[in-house]
Amino acid sequence: MTSWHARPQRLGTDVAGRPAPPAAPALDYYLVHPDGPGGRAAAPEGLVVEEFVLDADHSAVRLDSAAWTPADGHWWDAAAFSRSIRVDAGLRARVVGVPRQRAAGAYRQLGGGELPDEETLRGHFHDGQPLGTAAPLRLVPGPDAGPRHTRVHRVLFAADLRPDGLANVSEAWRMVSVGDPGARAVGVAERRIGPDTFTWYLRRVGGGGPWCLDLSADLSTGDAAIGPLLRELTTQLRMQGLIPVTVERFS
């Protein structure tokens, strides 16, 4: 199974014999709040843990998930619940993306004890939600290799981005406004990683439709940097209230 990016290495030592830093969390964590008075201000009633399984080209082929509540007292496969989050706005309003540390605190406060490590949590994934896949649309004719080549990926999100959330990612990315109030693209940012250039746009799909992140990678080396960057950018948007739906490759 492949997560958003290459599986993190275990704690150990680096090539120089120094202690290796802890791996960053590879799973996505959500708190589910009760439906009723208080809403998200009320204490959570459970947790959901998710992972997108990616193909070799970094497109999503399956969404795995598991959930836990104090009433159940055990982890259960949550494929149907994860589907509902993405289509049911009422349910989605009760779900908040959080870092693993915050999920661990909630799990402890709800009586679950110490949150299991990520490999143990993956053991509760069973019947994941398959995601539609298709051959990528080639935007530039010619062979898929050469001195430089381009990859284009889109991450589609459910939910809405609050003004403060938009301000937060704009600052973190040093995003430049497109300068056109009528444009679907809200802003653009860029980063160089070695000899490769990555450019991404934050857009609305249609007038007032879902949000998406379009990442274009102008590569002179392999595509190994795409997965970690997609993970980083998606996580930042998830922390601002958006919920990823799928990852598509356009070219």
Side-chain angles (χ1 to χ4, degrees):
M1 183 189 301
T2 304
S3 75
W4 278 102
H5 56 111
R7 285 292 173 80
Q9 296 180 354
R10 300 294 185 187
L11 287 174
T13 57
D14 63 15
V15 292
R18 297 183 297 261
L27 303 183
D28 293 339
Y29 296 85
Y30 297 91
L31 300 182
V32 183
H33 292 269
D35 184 16
R40 293 190 181 189
E45 61 181 13
L47 291 78
V48 175
V49 180
E50 296 185 341
E51 181 175 45
F52 281 91
V53 180
L54 302 185
D55 206 344
D57 68 353
H58 308 290
S59 60
V61 297
R62 191 174 74 248
L63 175 60
D64 288 335
S65 62
W68 180 91
T69 66
D72 294 306
H74 61 85
W75 289 90
W76 42 275
D77 183 83
F81 189 82
S82 287
R83 284 195 302 271
S84 297
I85 291 172
R86 287 156 173 83
V87 299
D88 185 335
L91 176 59
R92 192 162 58 241
R94 299 166 49 200
V95 175
V96 180
V98 296
R100 176 178 165 89
Q101 183 178 8
R102 185 173 165 191
Y107 186 70
R108 192 179 304 112
Q109 291 172 1
L110 291 172
E114 292 302 312
L115 184 65
D117 62 52
E118 297 202 325
E119 283 305 314
T120 300
L121 289 172
R122 287 188 179 98
H124 300 292
F125 298 158
H126 298 295
D127 299 320
Q129 169 66 25
L131 301 172
T133 59
L137 172 67
R138 188 176 298 282
L139 302 181
V140 180
D144 191 25
R148 295 195 73 85
H149 51 285
T150 299
R151 298 281 189 274
V152 180
H153 288 77
R154 167 170 288 183
V155 185
L156 184 66
F157 296 89
D160 205 359
L161 190 60
R162 302 183 305 273
D164 62 330
L166 178 58
N168 289 339
V169 294
S170 295
E171 180 179 2
W173 297 346
R174 299 181 180 178
M175 190 165 65
V176 177
S177 171
V178 296
D180 181 0
R184 294 178 180 176
V186 175
V188 59
E190 184 178 278
R191 182 186 301 177
R192 288 190 63 84
I193 301 177
D196 302 328
T197 302
F198 297 85
T199 305
W200 60 93
Y201 287 85
L202 185 61
R203 305 181 189 271
R204 302 300 298 264
V205 181
W211 290 87
C212 71
L213 175 78
D214 288 343
L215 174 67
S216 177
D218 184 21
L219 305 170
S220 62
T221 60
D223 64 357
I226 293 177
L229 184 56
L230 279 170
R231 170 69 181 174
E232 174 190 334
L233 301 177
T234 301
T235 297
Q236 289 173 319
L237 288 169
R238 197 173 63 83
M239 292 297 100
Q240 302 303 324
L242 296 184
I243 297 178
V245 175
T246 193
V247 186
E248 300 172 318
R249 178 182 164 192
F250 282 178
S251 71

